[in-house]
Short mmCIF file of all heavy atoms in Angstrom, two decimals:
data_model
loop_
_atom_site.label_atom_id
_atom_site.label_comp_id
_atom_site.label_asym_id
_atom_site.label_seq_id
_atom_site.Cartn_x
_atom_site.Cartn_y
_atom_site.Cartn_z
N ILE A 75 -1.22 -6.60 12.07
CA ILE A 75 -2.43 -6.54 11.28
C ILE A 75 -2.79 -7.94 10.80
O ILE A 75 -3.99 -8.27 10.81
CB ILE A 75 -2.21 -5.50 10.09
CG1 ILE A 75 -1.92 -4.11 10.58
CG2 ILE A 75 -3.42 -5.60 9.12
CD1 ILE A 75 -3.10 -3.41 11.13
N ALA A 76 -1.82 -8.61 10.31
CA ALA A 76 -2.09 -9.99 9.76
C ALA A 76 -2.73 -10.92 10.84
O ALA A 76 -3.64 -11.67 10.59
CB ALA A 76 -0.85 -10.62 9.16
N ARG A 77 -2.14 -10.84 12.05
CA ARG A 77 -2.59 -11.65 13.18
C ARG A 77 -3.99 -11.30 13.54
O ARG A 77 -4.85 -12.12 13.79
CB ARG A 77 -1.56 -11.58 14.32
CG ARG A 77 -1.98 -12.48 15.49
CD ARG A 77 -1.82 -13.95 15.05
NE ARG A 77 -2.00 -14.87 16.13
CZ ARG A 77 -2.26 -16.10 16.04
NH1 ARG A 77 -2.42 -16.69 14.80
NH2 ARG A 77 -2.39 -16.88 17.12
N CYS A 78 -4.28 -10.04 13.65
CA CYS A 78 -5.62 -9.53 14.04
C CYS A 78 -6.61 -9.99 13.01
O CYS A 78 -7.75 -10.38 13.31
CB CYS A 78 -5.64 -8.04 14.16
SG CYS A 78 -4.79 -7.43 15.64
N ALA A 79 -6.24 -9.88 11.74
CA ALA A 79 -7.16 -10.32 10.65
C ALA A 79 -7.48 -11.81 10.66
O ALA A 79 -8.58 -12.24 10.57
CB ALA A 79 -6.58 -9.93 9.30
N GLN A 80 -6.41 -12.52 10.99
CA GLN A 80 -6.52 -14.00 11.03
C GLN A 80 -7.49 -14.39 12.22
O GLN A 80 -8.24 -15.36 12.04
CB GLN A 80 -5.13 -14.66 11.23
CG GLN A 80 -5.17 -16.16 11.33
CD GLN A 80 -3.77 -16.74 11.57
OE1 GLN A 80 -2.90 -16.07 12.12
NE2 GLN A 80 -3.53 -18.00 11.20
N LEU A 81 -7.37 -13.74 13.29
CA LEU A 81 -8.16 -14.03 14.49
C LEU A 81 -9.57 -13.35 14.44
O LEU A 81 -10.36 -13.56 15.38
CB LEU A 81 -7.41 -13.55 15.78
CG LEU A 81 -6.11 -14.29 16.10
CD1 LEU A 81 -5.49 -13.68 17.31
CD2 LEU A 81 -6.35 -15.83 16.32
N GLN A 82 -9.81 -12.61 13.39
CA GLN A 82 -11.02 -11.80 13.31
C GLN A 82 -11.14 -10.89 14.56
O GLN A 82 -12.26 -10.74 15.14
CB GLN A 82 -12.24 -12.71 13.14
CG GLN A 82 -12.48 -13.31 11.76
CD GLN A 82 -12.82 -12.23 10.68
OE1 GLN A 82 -13.82 -11.58 10.79
NE2 GLN A 82 -11.96 -12.03 9.69
N ASP A 83 -10.06 -10.31 14.97
CA ASP A 83 -10.03 -9.44 16.10
C ASP A 83 -10.32 -8.02 15.68
O ASP A 83 -9.41 -7.22 15.33
CB ASP A 83 -8.62 -9.52 16.76
CG ASP A 83 -8.46 -8.62 18.01
OD1 ASP A 83 -9.46 -7.99 18.41
OD2 ASP A 83 -7.36 -8.65 18.58
N ARG A 84 -11.58 -7.66 15.67
CA ARG A 84 -12.06 -6.37 15.26
C ARG A 84 -11.51 -5.27 16.03
O ARG A 84 -11.02 -4.22 15.51
CB ARG A 84 -13.54 -6.32 15.17
CG ARG A 84 -14.16 -5.01 14.65
CD ARG A 84 -15.66 -5.01 14.74
NE ARG A 84 -16.14 -5.20 16.10
CZ ARG A 84 -16.26 -4.15 16.99
NH1 ARG A 84 -15.90 -2.98 16.66
NH2 ARG A 84 -16.67 -4.45 18.25
N VAL A 85 -11.47 -5.42 17.36
CA VAL A 85 -11.03 -4.37 18.25
C VAL A 85 -9.50 -4.17 18.07
O VAL A 85 -9.07 -2.99 17.95
CB VAL A 85 -11.32 -4.76 19.73
CG1 VAL A 85 -10.66 -3.72 20.71
CG2 VAL A 85 -12.82 -4.87 19.99
N GLY A 86 -8.71 -5.20 18.03
CA GLY A 86 -7.32 -5.10 17.84
C GLY A 86 -6.94 -4.43 16.47
O GLY A 86 -6.05 -3.65 16.41
N LEU A 87 -7.71 -4.86 15.48
CA LEU A 87 -7.43 -4.39 14.13
C LEU A 87 -7.76 -2.86 14.08
O LEU A 87 -6.97 -2.08 13.48
CB LEU A 87 -8.31 -5.12 13.11
CG LEU A 87 -7.88 -5.08 11.67
CD1 LEU A 87 -6.50 -5.73 11.48
CD2 LEU A 87 -8.82 -5.83 10.78
N HIS A 88 -8.85 -2.48 14.71
CA HIS A 88 -9.25 -1.04 14.73
C HIS A 88 -8.18 -0.24 15.46
O HIS A 88 -7.81 0.86 14.96
CB HIS A 88 -10.62 -0.88 15.38
CG HIS A 88 -11.03 0.54 15.44
ND1 HIS A 88 -11.53 1.22 14.39
CD2 HIS A 88 -11.07 1.42 16.58
CE1 HIS A 88 -11.80 2.48 14.81
NE2 HIS A 88 -11.56 2.61 16.09
N ALA A 89 -7.75 -0.78 16.57
CA ALA A 89 -6.69 0.00 17.35
C ALA A 89 -5.43 0.17 16.50
O ALA A 89 -4.82 1.24 16.50
CB ALA A 89 -6.43 -0.77 18.67
N ALA A 90 -4.99 -0.91 15.88
CA ALA A 90 -3.77 -0.85 15.11
C ALA A 90 -3.94 0.12 13.98
O ALA A 90 -3.05 0.95 13.67
CB ALA A 90 -3.46 -2.24 14.56
N LYS A 91 -5.05 0.08 13.25
CA LYS A 91 -5.27 1.06 12.15
C LYS A 91 -5.26 2.49 12.64
O LYS A 91 -4.76 3.38 11.97
CB LYS A 91 -6.63 0.71 11.44
CG LYS A 91 -6.47 -0.30 10.32
CD LYS A 91 -7.70 -0.30 9.48
CE LYS A 91 -7.68 0.95 8.62
NZ LYS A 91 -8.91 1.06 7.71
N GLU A 92 -5.97 2.76 13.77
CA GLU A 92 -6.06 4.10 14.25
C GLU A 92 -4.69 4.59 14.66
O GLU A 92 -4.32 5.78 14.42
CB GLU A 92 -7.02 4.15 15.46
CG GLU A 92 -8.46 4.06 15.08
CD GLU A 92 -8.91 5.17 14.14
OE1 GLU A 92 -8.75 6.32 14.43
OE2 GLU A 92 -9.42 4.83 13.04
N HIS A 93 -3.85 3.81 15.30
CA HIS A 93 -2.50 4.21 15.69
C HIS A 93 -1.67 4.46 14.38
O HIS A 93 -0.84 5.35 14.35
CB HIS A 93 -1.88 3.19 16.59
CG HIS A 93 -2.34 3.30 17.98
ND1 HIS A 93 -2.11 4.33 18.82
CD2 HIS A 93 -3.07 2.34 18.79
CE1 HIS A 93 -2.67 4.20 19.97
NE2 HIS A 93 -3.23 2.96 19.93
N MET A 94 -1.80 3.59 13.40
CA MET A 94 -1.04 3.88 12.20
C MET A 94 -1.48 5.20 11.58
O MET A 94 -0.62 5.99 11.14
CB MET A 94 -1.38 2.69 11.13
CG MET A 94 -0.69 1.42 11.44
SD MET A 94 -1.07 0.17 10.16
CE MET A 94 -0.24 0.85 8.72
N LYS A 95 -2.72 5.50 11.55
CA LYS A 95 -3.25 6.73 11.01
C LYS A 95 -2.64 7.90 11.79
O LYS A 95 -2.31 8.93 11.23
CB LYS A 95 -4.80 6.70 11.06
CG LYS A 95 -5.41 7.97 10.40
CD LYS A 95 -6.92 7.79 10.42
CE LYS A 95 -7.62 9.09 9.79
NZ LYS A 95 -9.07 8.96 9.87
N ALA A 96 -2.68 7.74 13.12
CA ALA A 96 -2.20 8.85 13.96
C ALA A 96 -0.69 9.11 13.74
O ALA A 96 -0.25 10.27 13.92
CB ALA A 96 -2.42 8.51 15.47
#
Side-chain angles (χ1 to χ4, degrees):
I75 296 288
R77 185 62 174 163
C78 288
Q80 181 184 22
L81 295 175
Q82 285 290 300
D83 180 0
R84 182 182 60 83
V85 174
L87 201 60
H88 178 75
K91 274 197 71 181
E92 286 301 303
H93 282 295
M94 285 181 69
K95 184 178 179 180

